[in-house]
């Protein structure tokens, strides 16, 4: 359901380009089924749908490892962080808040 909601939201906004930032909490470990849906959605976000970069703030090293593996599997680079402040600094440095 979230996959379809994200796609619909992106279509409705009509952005020329956009950036995706996800914050994963301690509850988000991801079963194989969940990771499959996330991978499918991240792959959809790629250059064919004008997403310029994917950034994920993980709350555990397990999530970092899972996201690295997912990045390799779908062939898209994902900026990974484990600290919310660092993630926000990255977003600010990129100027994404200005779009």
């Amino acid at each position: 359901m979230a996959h379809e909601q994200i796609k619909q939201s992106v279509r409705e906004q009509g952005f020329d380009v956009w950036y995706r930032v996800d914050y994963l909490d301690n509850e988000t470990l991801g079963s194989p089924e969940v990771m499959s849906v996330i991978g499918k959605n991240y792959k959809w976000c790629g250059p064919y749908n004008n997403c310029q970069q994917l950034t994920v703030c993980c709350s555990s090293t397990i999530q970092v490892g899972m996201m690295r593996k997912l990045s390799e599997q779908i062939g898209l680079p994902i900026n990974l962080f484990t600290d919310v402040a660092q993630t926000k600094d990255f977003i600010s440095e990129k100027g994404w808040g200005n779009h």
Side-chain angles (χ1 to χ4, degrees), residues 82-93:
T82 56
D83 180 81
V84 171
Q86 288 177 338
T87 306
K88 289 180 179 182
D89 287 346
F90 177 79
I91 293 166
S92 178
E93 289 169 12

Side-chain angles (χ1 to χ4, degrees), residues 64-82:
V64 170
M66 292 170 71
M67 295 309 293
R68 283 188 179 135
K69 184 175 180 179
L70 178 62
S71 176
E72 292 170 8
Q73 288 175 344
I74 63 175
L76 292 173
I78 300 174
N79 304 300
L80 293 172
F81 296 92
T82 56

